[in-house]
Amino acid sequence: MVLTPTHLLSPADQERRRALRVMKGVALGALLGMAAVFLVSFAFEEQIPALAYVRAAAEGGMVGALADWFAVTALFRHPLGIPIPHTAIIPNRKDEIGRTLGEFVETEFLRGDVVRAKLDATAIAARAGAWLSEPAHAERVTAEGSAMASGILRALSDDDVQDVLEELAREHLIAPEWGPPLGAWLARIVDSGAHHGAVDLAVDNIATWLGANQAAFSGLVSRRLPAWVPSIALRLVDDTVYNEAVKFVAAVKADAQHPARKAIDGYLARLAENLQHDPATIGRLEDAKIAVFDSPRVRELAAEAWNTAKTGLLASLADPASGLRRRAATAVAEIGERLTTDAALQRRVDAWVTDAAVFLVDRYRHDIASIITDTVERWDPAETTEKIELMVGRDLQYIRLNGTIVGALAGLVIFSIAHAVLG
């Protein structure tokens, strides 16, 4: 097996490799120690009969050490490089191990009842609220959200956005007829008298303008009179027109039943009726609407509006001190505060999160578990073997060490019983 170079291992894996080498040395040392004890006791057994017990213990220890060495080594590679059947189990059955692990995770962990039980025992909303209510955490969430929103805005094509906006405007704003709904809306306003306030406002503004702009009437009528008319008569005509205009506006302002007001009511009522039922009026409104929205200048304004809005949003999202970021952080903190104090909201959020998680697990657990299977299948057998050996190899060396000790005790007990029975 080709081992991963040390410089490619993470610091944790390098530490595991050092610990594994140490434990391999300890296990090998125990085997060599048992071999040395066996040789000494075997050589002097005839002179010192009690060494037979020592020899039996050492012999059992060597057998146990060798058997466990073979078992541990067979998991990762062929012992001594000999392709003995049922050895090098992990590299040869890597894909099957991955599938089995994926099936185990899918059937034992990714189950709706398991997920629901775990989430029901976890105060999700309360914990999330406590975390979000901290100003630093709220600012962090806002910063992450701002970075995500900025990335989305930058990824959007301006031309595509403008095309989408134009399509939506045509579908929902331009294509439908405006006349009938506008006429119905205007009819309701006229019937309720809600337009009287607008008429009063217009009359007030006209009266104010007349009071401040008398000079605008100079020559308004008199310049159209013959040249032989005396100048004093010209001024008299202009003043008369102005005064009549002031009186008329004052009369309209003072009299709620003034004929001019009645005329406005009648005009608006006829307009509302025509907008709903008169094809000519509806057609003129549609032509005006299309002329306005098909104007190149309107399209340019729409593009400029999008670019301005995009630039402003990007600037606000990038500035931690911007009003948008501050308000967003405040809103997040307030949401966290509510989650920590509102028990009803906590129950709703917990139920929603739990139901969503159970739905996703039930629907996609096979796909989730397949990540394990697919990932293990892509691994190189040699690299997989080393990774697993680095993770559990040190503990497996304890099996070799324990096998040496247990084998020695077993050998001593068996020899002692046999010697006692046969003796």
Side-chain angles (χ1 to χ4, degrees):
M1 181 184 68
V2 179
L3 296 180
T4 304
T6 302
H7 70 275
L8 296 180
L9 296 177
S10 66
D13 284 341
Q14 293 181 17
E15 181 60 32
R16 293 188 186 102
R17 169 174 279 184
R18 285 191 292 268
L20 175 60
R21 287 173 175 171
V22 171
M23 282 308 304
K24 282 185 175 181
V26 172
L28 178 61
L31 172 61
L32 295 177
M34 286 295 175
V37 171
F38 173 79
L39 291 175
V40 172
S41 59
F42 183 81
F44 296 98
E45 181 180 356
E46 293 183 359
Q47 290 86 352
I48 307 174
L51 289 179
Y53 291 92
V54 177
R55 178 186 59 78
E59 190 174 7
M62 287 191 297
V63 172
L66 290 172
D68 287 343
W69 166 80
F70 183 89
V72 170
T73 303
L75 288 173
F76 304 104
R77 59 188 65 86
H78 297 299
L80 301 178
I82 302 173
I84 302 172
H86 303 294
T87 59
I89 294 173
I90 290 178
N92 289 334
R93 301 181 62 185
K94 170 182 68 68
D95 294 345
E96 183 179 349
I97 293 172
R99 286 192 297 271
T100 303
L101 180 60
E103 292 174 0
F104 175 74
V105 171
E106 178 180 353
T107 56
E108 298 299 327
F109 293 95
L110 298 178
R111 294 205 323 259
D113 56 335
V114 174
V115 174
R116 185 176 294 278
K118 178 62 178 177
L119 294 179
D120 285 342
T122 305
I124 302 173
R127 290 186 178 182
W131 190 84
L132 290 174
S133 60
E134 294 289 334
H137 296 162
E139 180 59 35
R140 178 180 175 185
V141 171
T142 303
E144 295 296 334
S146 299
M148 185 180 303
S150 297
I152 294 174
L153 284 174
R154 290 192 177 92
L156 290 175
S157 168
D158 292 343
D159 293 336
D160 291 341
V161 172
Q162 292 169 18
D163 290 342
V164 170
L165 292 177
E166 184 174 349
E167 290 177 3
L168 291 174
R170 289 190 176 278
E171 180 180 356
H172 299 287
L173 190 63
I174 301 176
E177 282 190 341
W178 283 17
L182 281 177
W185 173 75
L186 181 58
R188 287 194 295 269
I189 291 177
V190 172
D191 292 340
S192 64
H195 65 293
H196 292 159
V199 173
D200 291 338
L201 179 61
V203 172
D204 288 340
N205 286 332
I206 294 173
T208 302
W209 183 86
L210 287 173
N213 294 274
Q214 183 176 0
F217 280 77
S218 297
L220 183 64
V221 177
S222 60
R223 71 168 58 99
R224 292 174 173 81
L225 296 177
W228 50 265
V229 177
S231 60
I232 188 170
L234 297 177
R235 287 195 300 272
L236 179 61
V237 169
D238 290 336
D239 291 343
T240 301
V241 172
Y242 172 75
N243 292 329
E244 289 300 323
V246 171
K247 290 177 182 179
F248 176 78
V249 172
V252 173
K253 183 177 179 181
D255 186 3
Q257 301 298 322
H258 195 279
R261 289 180 179 269
K262 296 293 184 181
I264 293 174
D265 293 347
Y267 170 76
L268 292 177
R270 290 192 302 273
L271 178 60
E273 180 69 17
N274 291 338
L275 285 173
Q276 296 181 77
H277 306 294
D278 181 28
T281 304
I282 295 174
R284 287 196 297 272
L285 178 62
E286 291 300 310
D287 292 341
K289 176 188 71 176
I290 293 174
V292 169
F293 282 99
D294 279 348
S295 170
R297 181 54 184 163
V298 172
R299 294 182 179 179
E300 292 176 4
L301 290 175
E304 291 175 3
W306 162 248
N307 291 329
T308 301
K310 178 180 178 180
T311 303
L313 278 174
L314 288 174
S316 297
L317 291 172
D319 184 7
S322 67
L324 178 62
R325 287 279 294 268
R326 289 199 304 270
R327 284 191 291 271
T330 302
V332 170
E334 289 176 353
I335 292 173
E337 192 67 30
R338 281 200 61 193
L339 286 175
T340 59
T341 56
D342 191 336
L345 180 60
Q346 289 177 6
R347 287 192 295 270
R348 289 198 298 271
V349 172
D350 288 344
W352 181 84
V353 172
T354 300
D355 292 342
V358 171
F359 170 79
L360 291 174
V361 166
D362 286 339
R363 188 176 182 88
Y364 299 106
R365 64 177 183 173
H366 179 72
D367 298 320
I368 298 173
S370 67
I371 296 175
I372 300 174
T373 304
D374 297 341
T375 302
V376 173
E377 287 179 352
R378 289 195 298 269
W379 284 352
D380 177 73
E383 184 178 358
T384 303
T385 300
E386 185 185 18
K387 285 181 179 293
I388 296 177
E389 187 175 14
L390 290 177
M391 293 297 297
V392 300
R394 183 172 179 272
D395 294 325
L396 293 178
Q397 299 309 311
Y398 280 104
I399 294 177
R400 293 177 55 189
L401 187 60
N402 292 337
T404 303
I405 298 173
V406 172
L409 294 176
L412 177 61
V413 170
I414 292 172
F415 179 81
S416 299
I417 294 175
H419 189 270
V421 172
L422 295 178

